[in-house]
Amino acid sequence: AHVLVLDGGVSTHLERTILLDRKRRREAREVGGNDESPVFVHRELWSSSLLLTAGGRDAIRRCHEEFYEAGADLASTVTYQAHYMPLPSGEGRDGEGRLCLDDETMDTMLRDGVRLAREAARNVVTREQKKGLEKRERFVAASVGCYGGALADGSEYTGNYCLTLEQLASFHRRKVHILAAQCPDVLAFETVPCILECHAIMMVLGEIPQKSRPPSWLSLACQDGAHLNDGTRVEEVMDLIKRMDPNCDLLQGVGVNCCACEHIIPLAKILATNCGGKRTVAIYPNSGEQWDAKNECWVEGTGVTTPEDFAMAVLSAVEEVLTCSPVGCRIVVGGCCRTSPDSIRALRDMMDVKILSRTEC
């Protein structure tokens, strides 16, 4: 098998490190008062808010470098929740209490997202070469979030959008075209909670000329080990993908992300069985901590407890993919919300041992 390690929860790690930096500065008396302003100043953009300022962009670059240095082969851009306004539903118009950026500003933010990940990759590779370490190539996955993420109301956990197929395609169209033009190593459609949005994404990918279309994967948001968040069976989505893209021209990978570790083994089996080695299987769960959308906070005491526990859970899913796939299959593993560079470091170490042991066999 060919296995690549993706980064972890870039946005939640950014939030942690920025808050920690504020605390350190206060303790060093470098700043006065008590800065209680939100780290991500525009809730509807989440971490993509940082792309609007020089300081934010520097923080993003450093975060990518941390994950690369922890062992990630792939970095996901901080563009998940960046989106054009107004939304197809009409939300995001001036005077409705939501941010409204012009299209040209959003174009620049998306381009910057890819650029920052590339710069981080070059910086890390350069430092490793100066230390005499073996050169290891790094890659960039341009993140495309779901419509529910743009609503910033937890809709990605339900998939109940009340939009048409064309409205969903319209939401994704310009973002996908702009990101594709930056030639990332892969387009990563993430946390997609409903089958209609899967259909819309494939429609939009089909509009891009093949020579201009980067490889892509579609990662599903699932409520359990068998169903998307909207209740659709995962097998139904796989049937749709195979029907719309029988030769793997549009989607070269299918995966699951931002679900609890307890669900990834049955999901990995479904994906691997349906991909049959023709498509990459991507698995990057969250820490299992529960998000309280109403109070915009993580529920204490939920989820896995250590990076090693997380890595072991993901490794078990990899074993399931290997069992259900032909020799030479491709797998991407990593983390989502609340997984840190330490989580990825533990996963990298365990994966390297696993791959070495299989090679020796």
Side-chain angles (χ1 to χ4, degrees), residues 56 113 132 164 177 205 210 217 249 252 274 291 296 298 327 347 354:
T164 66
H177 281 258
L205 281 173
Q210 188 168 5
W217 79 56
D249 294 323
Q252 289 71 44
N274 280 274
W291 172 249
E296 298 186 8
W298 298 95
V327 174
L347 180 57
K354 183 66 182 177

Side-chain angles (χ1 to χ4, degrees), residues 83-314:
H83 60 275
Y84 293 91
M85 308 167 192
L87 296 172
S89 61
E91 292 191 52
R93 297 183 188 277
D94 290 327
E96 294 187 4
R98 290 174 63 97
L99 175 73
C100 199
L101 300 175
D102 59 63
D103 290 351
E104 290 70 25
T105 298
M106 190 56 60
D107 290 346
T108 299
M109 291 171 67
L110 295 173
R111 294 184 183 110
D112 281 345
V114 177
R115 175 181 60 80
L116 291 168
R118 281 209 184 102
E119 288 176 0
R122 285 196 297 269
N123 292 345
V124 170
V125 170
T126 298
R127 286 199 291 268
E128 289 177 345
Q129 288 177 325
K130 288 181 178 178
K131 294 177 181 178
L133 300 176
E134 182 180 353
K135 182 178 180 180
R136 184 158 59 85
E137 192 171 1
R138 299 318 203 282
F139 304 98
V140 173
S143 175
V144 185
C146 64
Y147 178 74
L151 292 175
D153 63 358
S155 292
E156 63 266 51
Y157 298 105
T158 66
N160 297 328
Y161 295 161
C162 300
L163 294 184
T164 66
L165 178 64
E166 180 50 41
Q167 283 178 313
L168 283 170
S170 175
F171 167 76
H172 283 287
R173 188 168 283 117
R174 180 161 178 158
K175 181 174 182 177
V176 171
H177 281 258
I178 290 292
L179 287 174
Q182 309 317 303
C183 300
D185 297 294
V186 64
L187 285 174
F189 295 89
E190 303 185 294
T191 327
V192 181
C194 66
I195 190 169
L196 190 67
E197 189 164 20
C198 296
H199 190 161
I201 286 167
M202 297 185 71
M203 279 177 52
V204 173
L205 281 173
E207 296 168 3
I208 303 174
Q210 188 168 5
K211 64 179 181 180
S212 303
R213 189 171 59 231
S216 301
W217 79 56
L218 172 63
S219 188
L220 308 172
C222 297
Q223 61 180 255
D224 54 29
H227 300 87
L228 272 67
N229 286 346
D230 74 339
T232 302
R233 290 187 306 111
V234 175
E235 284 95 340
E236 288 184 49
V237 177
M238 295 306 302
D239 288 344
L240 172 72
I241 290 171
K242 287 184 280 189
R243 189 166 62 250
M244 292 186 67
D245 186 28
N247 298 318
C248 307
D249 294 323
L250 303 179
L251 287 176
Q252 289 71 44
V254 184
V256 291
N257 77 289
C258 215
C259 61
C261 289
E262 63 190 270
H263 301 318
I264 59 176
I265 292 178
L267 289 169
K269 182 176 182 178
I270 295 171
L271 294 176
T273 301
N274 280 274
C275 287
K278 295 179 181 179
R279 288 185 170 91
T280 297
V281 174
I283 302 169
Y284 47 120
N286 55 37
S287 67
E289 293 170 87
Q290 297 172 14
W291 172 249
D292 182 343
K294 181 179 179 180
N295 296 304
E296 298 186 8
C297 65
W298 298 95
V299 180
E300 292 292 332
T302 57
V304 293
T305 56
T306 69
E308 290 73 24
D309 288 342
F310 170 80
M312 284 295 296
V314 176

Side-chain angles (χ1 to χ4, degrees), residues 6-12 67 72 74 76 334-341 344:
L6 181 66
D7 57 15
V10 175
S11 296
T12 50
F67 277 107
L74 271 160
S76 52
C336 202
C337 294
R338 303 285 279 185
T339 56
S340 67
I344 299 307

Side-chain angles (χ1 to χ4, degrees), residues 66-80:
E66 283 189 67
F67 277 107
Y68 277 135
E69 289 171 340
D73 301 299
L74 271 160
S76 52
T77 60
V78 184
T79 53
Y80 172 83

